[in-house]
Amino acid sequence: MLTLTSVWTTILLAAAVALGPLATDMYLPALPQIGRDFGAGTDQVQLTLSLYLAGFALAQLICGPLADRFGRKPIMIAGFVLFAVASVGCALATNIETLMLCRVLQALGGSAGPVLGRAAIRDIYTPREAAKILAILASIMALAPAVAPTIGGVLVANLGWSSIFLALGGYALVMALVVAFGIPEPMRPDYRQPLRLCSLLRNYRSIGTDLSFLGYTLTNALIYAGLFAFLSGSSFVLIDFLEVAPEHFGLFFACMVVGYVSGNLTAVRLGRTLMPDQILVRGLVIAVVGGALMAGLALAGVYNVWAVILPQTLFMVGTGMVLPQTMAGAMANFPRMAGSASALFGFGQMAVAAVAGVLVGHLHDGTSVVMAVIIATCACAALASYLLLVQRHPAPGFEPQEASAQ
């Protein structure tokens, strides 16, 4: 059993949290093929993504309080087992409706990894330390979306799309064993919360009315919605519109991941000299520039792969700087309710992202315009959220020293 502050513990937590990105990114190259096999339209196929996120969001509201009561490990293990069973159901689906149902069940189990991974980091580290560790964790996690679409494309081309879900189920079972036998329980026994409805509602009200929490959560959710808009629309734009081969899709997707990792590593490096909120605003500006550039090119009728990938890579540099800071900032005030805070944070993130995904699916016009405009809009809205909320209500320990002394 590893120690909580071990580098390997961080790596294993990252691998556990990565199940969420894997469940969306690995089957992106298969979306057009799934639509053809089931005779489903773009909006129906895209709904398998948005329903996953909606289920993911709601499930976090349950597994967070459960983890505050019973600990992080048992809830995470149970979630991984449920995810594995649902993945087999996805692989055996014979129509789009069954696939949608199994995707929701996948989400119920898969939500345990990210929400409890964030809570575990808050259990172990202080808010400022957590921001740095989350950035490192995000860099490790980025390996999943870097390779997942390529693996998914190869599996689709050689074994069919159902093999992707079987691979995801196998990964979930491995992670259940890793968490059970490799990671200690990070939650302090005296931090356990009672599992009563009135207590849950009181905790959620306390968290949800905290202006600092609201600011960081909304900023995070809007940036993540821009990312999910790309995830929802990229396969249709790149494969159907720009005629990229499914097995090559992951290579272009990897460019975006390189941008994300660069943003994470930049955040870690800047964290030695800058406060987290100073890193956050720099990342938001970069994301706005990337989103605006993609939208401008699309509206001008510039339709090629690099007019999508290069601006999205820049957007992802900013995203890589923003996400760790907002995660740590949102949970800074709630060391005794880290599971519930992480759950409510994740609910907001996934709910807003699901709306962005639905909009991409329903408004898709066969080009890159809709996806690009939604990404740019999300980036601008995230910057506005920072200026109106986060800047006025920074997390404790996130302010510059001059401000905190006043």
Side-chain angles (χ1 to χ4, degrees):
M1 195 71 77
L2 299 169
T3 61
L4 287 175
T5 54
S6 165
V7 173
W8 284 105
T9 298
T10 300
I11 292 173
L12 292 179
L13 282 173
V17 174
L19 186 63
L22 281 173
T24 54
D25 299 339
M26 188 177 285
Y27 95 127
L28 290 178
L31 293 181
Q33 184 62 54
I34 290 172
R36 289 190 288 271
D37 286 355
F38 290 152
T42 299
D43 56 338
Q44 286 182 298
V45 177
Q46 190 280 329
L47 201 56
T48 64
L49 273 173
S50 292
L51 283 175
Y52 177 85
L53 251 68
F56 203 98
L58 291 171
Q60 291 183 81
L61 296 178
I62 300 171
C63 74
L66 286 175
D68 281 343
R69 174 64 182 87
F70 298 107
R72 316 303 183 205
K73 284 183 59 173
I75 307 305
M76 195 179 289
I77 293 167
F80 287 146
V81 172
L82 175 58
F83 182 96
V85 173
S87 295
V88 174
C90 289
L92 298 177
T94 56
N95 54 63
I96 194 68
E97 291 78 15
T98 302
L99 181 61
M100 289 178 185
L101 174 61
C102 291
R103 285 289 285 169
V104 172
L105 294 176
Q106 257 194 331
L108 298 181
S111 65
V115 69
L116 301 184
R118 289 191 299 263
I121 294 298
R122 182 63 186 92
D123 291 334
I124 300 168
Y125 299 99
T126 66
R128 279 202 72 181
E129 290 172 338
K132 297 175 185 177
I133 296 298
L134 284 167
I136 296 171
L137 184 144
S139 297
I140 300 169
M141 277 177 57
L143 294 174
V147 301
T150 300
I151 295 172
V154 172
L155 289 174
V156 170
N158 293 281
L159 299 174
W161 59 263
S162 61
S163 63
I164 293 174
F165 292 106
L166 294 177
L168 286 170
Y171 182 91
L173 288 178
V174 170
M175 291 317 305
L177 294 173
V178 166
V179 172
F181 300 107
I183 302 175
E185 173 58 57
M187 184 182 182
R188 290 173 50 176
D190 57 318
Y191 277 11
R192 292 182 186 269
Q193 299 289 316
L195 193 62
R196 295 192 296 267
L197 181 60
C198 58
S199 297
L200 294 181
L201 294 177
R202 184 168 59 249
N203 287 349
Y204 276 138
R205 183 179 63 184
S206 174
I207 296 166
T209 55
D210 184 280
L211 292 177
S212 177
F213 174 86
L214 289 175
Y216 287 104
T217 299
L218 183 58
T219 302
N220 177 285
L222 288 165
I223 279 292
Y224 191 80
L227 166 58
F228 192 73
F230 179 80
L231 296 179
S232 297
S234 59
S235 58
F236 297 104
V237 170
L238 295 179
I239 296 174
D240 283 352
F241 178 51
L242 299 176
E243 300 181 343
V244 172
E247 59 267 31
H248 297 153
F249 174 82
L251 299 177
F252 292 106
F253 199 87
C255 295
M256 183 195 76
V257 176
V258 168
Y260 183 65
V261 173
S262 298
N264 292 151
L265 296 179
T266 298
V268 173
R269 186 168 60 252
L270 291 176
R272 301 181 188 128
T273 56
L274 297 179
M275 300 299 292
D277 278 359
Q278 295 171 319
I279 301 170
L280 172 56
V281 70
R282 286 163 171 77
L284 287 168
V285 170
I286 292 171
V288 167
V289 171
L293 180 60
M294 188 195 300
L297 290 171
L299 291 170
V302 180
Y303 299 136
N304 63 67
V305 171
W306 297 112
V308 173
I309 293 299
L310 292 181
Q312 181 64 18
T313 299
L314 185 60
F315 174 88
M316 292 305 297
V317 171
T319 299
M321 297 171 67
V322 168
L323 294 187
Q325 319 308 319
T326 50
M327 289 179 194
M331 292 189 290
N333 284 342
F334 307 102
R336 293 181 176 272
M337 296 182 285
S340 296
S342 180
L344 197 57
F345 173 88
F347 173 80
Q349 181 190 65
M350 295 299 173
V352 176
V355 171
V358 169
L359 288 175
V360 170
H362 280 278
L363 300 178
H364 180 60
D365 62 353
T367 73
S368 59
V369 171
V370 170
M371 181 184 75
V373 168
I374 290 176
I375 291 171
T377 300
C378 288
C380 292
L383 180 58
S385 174
Y386 170 83
L387 295 173
L388 295 175
L389 285 171
V390 174
Q391 198 171 55
R392 298 179 183 180
H393 306 281
F398 272 30
E399 312 94 325
Q401 293 306 306
E402 305 89 303
S404 61
Q406 291 176 357

